Amino acid sequence: MKPVDGIILAAGLSTRMGDPKLLMELQGSTILERAVKVALESALRTVTVILGPKGDQVKSALASKWSEERLRFAVNPRPSDGMSSSLTVGLAAAGDGAAGAMILLADQPLLTSRVIDGLIAAFSRDADMIVLPAISGRRTTPVIFPASFFSELMEVTGDRGGRDVVKRHEDRVVQLEMASYYDDSDVDTREDLEFLRAKLAGEPGGLSHE
């Protein structure tokens, strides 16, 4: 497979719910830990977690749980500048020789390594294309951008992430339908979290990452 580096955007650690949502627990792990776990279980060459300037304790906790060299960290000194600022930091941290970078949102706790590896396999067939998943035709994340797009992505500002880049290059997009095995639910509210807790509790053995 073509070497793809993973970038987990986690600098915000949103406090809209009263507590940082990525540090809330879901089935015995924090939401952020779940994101790191599935990324490390996948074929991603490296996994870089983008943290905010006050993320030292989070970094220490993650580093003590996974000591492998593939796991890296980078700091976004100004997360208030929006998602694009974390994206820029992550792309700058991508390893030499990466054919592409996968942008992962840390607040999608039902993402699995199967989804990640499916996207990497599709990218490996044509490493000049942007590869993204879809659920019944609706585009979602994570997204793989070829290295040739890195400089354009680093010019994005605000909270748009890579969406505008995708729109500008529709002729370079591969959309992989994953409706049968991907639930891209995210966590924005306490109600979202309670819904996911109930959903996972209702599945025998919990959710598999295979």
Side-chain angles (χ1 to χ4, degrees):
M1 289 188 179
K2 299 288 186 181
V4 177
D5 290 344
I7 299 170
I8 299 178
L9 304 183
L13 292 176
S14 174
T15 57
R16 283 184 294 171
M17 290 192 288
D19 295 294
K21 67 178 180 181
L22 298 184
L23 302 184
M24 290 185 170
E25 187 175 288
L26 188 63
Q27 274 200 330
S29 300
T30 67
I31 293 173
L32 180 54
E33 286 172 346
R34 291 177 70 95
V36 173
K37 180 177 185 291
V38 296
L40 290 174
E41 288 175 344
S42 76
L44 288 168
R45 185 179 67 164
T46 63
V47 176
T48 300
V49 183
I50 311 303
L51 298 170
K54 297 181 180 180
D56 287 348
Q57 286 186 321
V58 177
K59 176 181 176 180
S60 297
L62 293 174
S64 65
K65 195 162 189 175
W66 293 283
S67 59
E68 58 182 282
E69 293 183 3
R70 291 171 63 216
L71 180 59
R72 304 174 179 182
F73 300 91
V75 175
N76 177 1
R78 295 181 59 86
S80 59
D81 288 347
M83 187 185 300
S84 62
S85 59
S86 287
L87 183 58
T88 298
V89 170
L91 290 169
D96 293 338
M102 176 179 284
I103 312 304
L104 303 102
L105 305 183
D107 64 351
Q108 292 179 306
L110 303 189
L111 176 66
T112 67
S113 58
R114 179 184 179 186
V115 171
I116 294 173
D117 287 345
L119 294 169
I120 294 173
F123 177 75
S124 293
R125 292 191 287 270
D126 192 343
D128 291 323
M129 303 295 283
I130 299 169
V131 178
L132 51 81
I135 298 176
S136 299
R138 174 180 58 82
R139 290 178 176 177
T140 183
T141 53
V143 180
I144 301 178
F145 289 96
S148 57
F149 282 90
F150 287 4
S151 58
E152 184 174 350
L153 286 165
M154 293 176 78
E155 294 175 359
V156 175
T157 59
D159 208 33
R160 297 290 294 174
R163 285 176 289 180
D164 290 342
V165 175
V166 171
K167 288 181 179 179
R168 285 196 293 270
H169 299 280
E170 286 288 343
D171 60 327
R172 300 276 297 278
V173 175
V174 171
Q175 185 170 308
L176 198 63
E177 181 59 49
M178 295 187 169
S180 62
Y181 60 93
Y182 181 25
D183 184 336
D184 69 337
S185 298
D186 60 7
V187 178
D188 286 322
T189 66
R190 288 189 179 273
E191 289 75 18
D192 293 339
L193 183 61
E194 292 307 318
F195 173 80
L196 289 175
R197 283 173 175 165
K199 184 172 186 175
L200 290 173
E203 295 181 7
L207 186 71
S208 170
H209 294 299
E210 299 304 321

